[in-house]
Amino acid sequence: MMQSRRHFVRSALAATAATSPAARLWAEAASGVIPASLIGITGDGKHVTLAGADIKDLRAALKGHLLLSGDAGYDRARRIWNPDFDRHPALVARCAVPEDAVHAVSFARAHHLLVAVRSGGHSFAGYSTCDGGLMIDLLPMQSVEVDAQKKLVRVQGGSLLGQVDRATQAVGLATTMGTATDTGVGGLTTGGGVGRLMGKFGLAIDNLQSVEVATADGRLLHASESENPDLFWAIRGGGGNFGVVTTFEFRLHPFTSKVLSGTLVYPFESAGDVFAAVSEIAQHAPDELGGFGLAIVLDNKSPAEKTSGRTVVFAVDYVGDPAAGEKLLAPIRKLGKPLADTVAAMSYLQAQGASQSAATAVIPAGSVNEYEKSGFMQRPAAGYFEEMRRHFKDLSPAEDYSLTIAWMGGAVARVAPSATAYWNRRATHTMLLGSSWTDPARRDHAIQIARDMWGSVERFTQGYYVNASSEAADPRIRATYGENYPRLVQIKNKYDPGNLFRLNANIKPDSAAG
Ligand code: FAD
């Protein structure tokens, strides 16, 4: 997590994962041709026989490619950002056009096949891949069309954030996207979408004008405030529960300002002082800082240049006049010279890591395994910071854990919790706890330590960010959606009564509720 947290809040600084016998079956069926039949896995985890003739029909119907184990490109397509999820879908439908997603959905429904929807592949819970099911891969569908006059951008479902940032900034416009250029617009937006601009412009979903969705019954629907408004409401924060979004249309805002972005790194012993100083800044934070613009990171292994060992990091993003931003930092500047200081004025694209022509991931996909937990807090809870400091002091320096506390607020909090499915509008803070490892032998230990630490602070939280949990079936789903939950179930009953789209923070339809 340490590294993904870097992306989440400050790119300026710098179910089971073990391969099951079934997974090996698909991995080894390396024929490259369609067999007479293939064993797949249903949404309920049972085996299902797929006739070769049906698979051939699906392949023929797609404008994109249908990949089976052994086909060129299968291995690359099945992999996602987090290598902890080394899974082998029976089929990968690489969608070239929205109708491909409809064909894939219809095939999966007809055969009761487990479905994973993949855009940028950044899911912390591994939702976008699966063993034995059908991966609906939107990555080939990448186009970003800006209408500068109408201040709108149309984004195909497989596009990546850096593509949106570059195309919109080219004409002096922007909308809220996350902070890692290679994250998918699809997963980020359907879960809510937090990023540097959210204090000013709200979450990614708050700028959504309309979507085109392939629904479980095999239709391609438009949804907006006036067309299928229930579906539009649910998609804005309800994760991938309601269909495959093939096109997003976002509103844009003029934004040409430089920003102040970077980190100040202090010795771990200063954590209390840093927390107090940042809390003071947060009390008067304008929208330019409000919403992920202020964050503290306890790092067990410092990523910062020129430092080593455990540190406390202050990460700042002021999305306005850098001189005005610098003035706001007075309380933290009073703490004296930090171990490292990367805070500087830069273009928004530079802060986003999107200034190069191609998407440049600071952390290349597949390079680090991560386990992540998150939680919203409705008020600064005395005690949680102390609790975490105590845990961090006991950690071995050889291990890689980080805790991020980010201040929320700004435009996000001015939207009513019931206006979209995303309910946690009033959260004052969000916490992210992560654990990373490269040696597979450390996996279970790294996850257990993170779970134990989380266990001691979860009581301070209410619900979590559905885009930031590695628990595939996180029991906090009701707390996350609060009073919106019953309405989400009704909409799930209407659009996906069979729970075809279940690899997500799953809102179970009544038919599946236990
Ligand atoms: P995928 O793994 O492709 O998809 C994840 C799930 O999202 C899918 O299984 C499906 O349920 C759903 N989904 C994806 N595409 C669609 C679609 N087109 N239609 C319907 N459902 C879909 N989040 C933030 O908000 N802000 C950040 O700054 C941020 N930084 C991150 C940095 C890193 C390095 C990582 C790993 C994650 C970060 N995240 C951030 C979390 C990120 O938003 C989620 O992981 C999100 O799910 C990624 O979207 P994706 O399309 O890349 O993922």
Side-chain angles (χ1 to χ4, degrees), residues 185-272:
V185 174
L188 176 114
T189 304
T190 49
V194 303
R196 287 191 169 84
L197 294 178
M198 76 190 211
K200 277 171 86 74
F201 305 136
L203 299 166
I205 50 168
D206 297 334
N207 297 289
L208 211 48
Q209 178 88 353
S210 69
V211 285
E212 179 188 66
V213 196
T215 48
D217 58 1
R219 288 182 295 165
L220 202 53
L221 295 181
H222 286 98
S224 65
E225 292 286 3
S226 54
E227 246 182 314
N228 300 305
D230 55 352
L231 182 59
F232 188 56
W233 178 87
I235 278 173
R236 286 176 291 165
N241 271 286
F242 301 95
V244 183
V245 181
T246 51
T247 310
F248 297 88
E249 191 180 35
F250 295 96
R251 290 184 290 277
L252 297 171
H253 311 268
F255 189 77
T256 51
S257 171
K258 287 219 169 220
V259 304
L260 186 75
S261 187
T263 55
L264 301 174
V265 183
Y266 296 92
F268 189 77
E269 296 66 41
S270 308

Side-chain angles (χ1 to χ4, degrees), residues 86-106:
D86 181 21
R87 295 179 181 165
H88 296 81
L91 302 168
V92 178
R94 304 214 74 211
C95 300
V97 294
E99 289 71 19
D100 283 357
V102 174
H103 290 306
V105 164
S106 301

Side-chain angles (χ1 to χ4, degrees), residues 105-137:
V105 164
S106 301
F107 182 90
R109 194 191 60 248
H111 297 278
H112 309 286
L113 207 51
L114 179 65
V115 170
V117 178
R118 182 223 159 97
S119 289
H122 273 47
S123 169
F124 283 113
Y127 290 140
S128 41
T129 187
C130 60
D131 279 332
L134 170 63
M135 177 195 264
I136 300 180
D137 180 8

Side-chain angles (χ1 to χ4, degrees), residues 4 11 19 112 179 183-184 287 372 401 436 455 457 471:
S4 66
S11 60
T19 306
H112 309 286
T179 54
T183 308
D287 285 355
E372 181 107 2
Y401 302 95
S436 327
V457 288
E471 300 288 351

